[in-house]
Amino acid sequence: MPDAGDFATDLQLKAADDFSKARLAKLADSITVNLNGRCICGETIPPARLAAMPGTYRCTRCQAKAERLGVLYGCA
């Protein structure tokens, strides 16, 4: 017979599942942006950058900003 602990666990599992689905949907959107040759900021990624880095999803300006923030916050 389910008790309050089982109910709480089920709620946590559902919340985690909903969160995962939302993250996957957001990732799918970014992949679509990448396939269209557009940066996450909406600008077109230069063809030379796409040729050099086929999997990139950032233009050179956004990549430079991400790298600066990574160094600033210790993520790089």
Side-chain angles (χ1 to χ4, degrees):
M1 173 175 256
D3 62 359
D6 293 332
F7 180 71
T9 300
D10 288 343
L11 283 177
Q12 288 176 331
L13 290 173
K14 182 175 178 350
D17 188 47
D18 291 345
F19 177 77
S20 296
K21 286 179 183 176
R23 290 286 291 165
L24 285 174
K26 189 171 185 175
L27 178 61
D29 288 344
S30 70
I31 290 171
T32 301
V33 169
N34 185 20
L35 293 176
N36 291 332
R38 295 225 170 254
C39 177
I40 56 175
C41 71
E43 294 293 320
T44 302
I45 299 173
R49 179 161 172 76
L50 284 173
M53 302 279 298
T56 191
Y57 56 93
R58 290 185 180 128
C59 64
T60 50
R61 185 174 33 142
C62 288
Q63 182 63 35
K65 181 179 178 182
E67 289 174 5
R68 281 192 312 271
L69 289 174
V71 169
L72 180 65
Y73 293 109
C75 300

